[in-house]
Amino acid sequence: MPSAQETDRRVVVGVDFGTLSGRAVVVRVADGVQLATAVHDYPHAVMERTLAATGALLPPDWALQVPADYVQVLRTAVPQALAASGVDPADVVGIGTDFTACTVLPVLADGTPLCELPELADRPHAYVKLWKHHAAQGQADRINALAHERDEKWIRRYGGRLSAEWELAKGLQLLEEDPEVYERTEHLVEAADWVVWQLCGRYVRNACTAGYKGALQDGAYPSEEYLAALNPAFGGFVRDKLEHPIGALGDLAGQLTREAATWTGLPEGIAVCVGNVDAHVTAPAARATGPGQLVAIMGTSTCHVMSGDRVAEVDGMCGVVDGGIVPGLWGYEAGQSGVGDIFGWFVETSVPASYAAEAARLGRSVHEHLTALALAQGVGEHGLVALDWHSGNRSVLVDHELSGVVVGLTLQTRPEDVYRALVEATAFGTRVIVEAFDGADVPVTDFIAAGGLLKNPLVMQVYADVLRRPISVIGSDQGPALGSAMHAAVAAGAHPDIRAAADAMGRLERDVWLPDAARADGYDALFAEYVVLHDHFGRGANEVMHRLRALRRSALAGDSRS
């Protein structure tokens, strides 16, 4: 007699919109088996230097995207994954999505992106501002200073500082740098919600981004009085641009429209789940639905998410939100703005041709080659310590004007030395975050890793040694997409709630990486040096990084090429 799993042919689709591409997975509802996957790269990738429509140079610290690229993921990756799975489309009962955040775009009332209006196609502020758009740091500084001056209670839920990446800073930058585009904006919408809008024809603001990125706490956003004190024209920002009905995670946003069914090859009318964030949706995919289970989604950047049974003020966190990850628990978020991006930058800019040639001869990538060389070293052998702030600091300093440092360079320093020091720096940054949680009486009981960096043995062993903790890993190479599929199963009624979906569909491999006591002792000494540098450059003793940023902006502003 066939089992219940064999007779339940229902499947769901999860779509993960990342920094450079979108990936779709087809997943079995009964047991979470991943039947097929497909990836589509964004044609415009990330616009950091020039605006694709005109070729005009962008200022420093900008990061833009083209929303039509997201629709191409729905048109391409979803039908490809569906075809590869071999399932009958009629067996698909729902679709769920997740997105990077805070990634926002200005749109008209019907959802039309302003960058698609011919008269605004040459205006950078009309485009999507990606999560790593850090050009609103000046606005973030004012937001934080005023919040403390006025003793705004909500700022405490964000470790005392809102990030330049979040909605208020990006919205204020839009107003102050392009008032015309701001005036034309009828919704400043998270890309997570815009994609759901395209699928079901209904705009529902998801509770996750509203809480973490929009400063929605206890049912209220920052007041109109506070916003007007930042800029008189900003007083109506929440009312006019941001506020919208909220959908809980795993709720039904609507049904797939006929147009979206044509794009995707999925049945019209199936469940479309409320949007979610790539990191937060990964936690249940790794069966992390209880207090103290920290999930680090390690890729281009790292996001650290964890649920707790109490609310606490944790220094420099990205926020604590009631039900922000799973219902009934407080969801905490922290993060590092640059991790894999830092390793990629080093390989692209700082490795000599001889290393690339040797890597090719050995049949491995440059990353793999440097990893192998670095793994042969003992702790401290390179004589270096680095700061992992090449893309600023998201937690716990919340300052994107900070920058990277490598101390100890000599004429004997080799590329593998610096590569290992950069890996160690990101591990030290994670340790600062874990210790902030522990110190605020929100203890981390389990450390679970997910994301693309799981493939690098140097990264994983260094993290285990630096943290002095065993590291469990998600049992899926598509954690966010799996999590989105699980939420789609809940929205479709195939599972009663996300905990039940996690039990049935989640994947976790326990204690895959174990710390070595001797190496951990060595890292304690290096971490102490990291903390000295961290506090010296990050807590006001030396503002050289901020001064250098200002000099750079001034030089570029006076450059005739711009």
Side-chain angles (χ1 to χ4, degrees), residues 142 235 391:
R142 288 162 48 208
S391 194

Side-chain angles (χ1 to χ4, degrees), residues 461-506:
Q461 189 59 60
V462 166
Y463 272 64
D465 293 338
V466 167
L467 295 172
R468 287 186 173 272
R469 295 171 181 263
I471 296 179
S472 302
V473 302
I474 191 172
S476 169
D477 60 355
Q478 299 291 348
L482 172 60
S484 289
M486 290 163 53
H487 281 79
V490 174
H495 289 293
D497 55 43
I498 195 59
R499 289 183 176 86
D503 290 342
M505 302 173 69

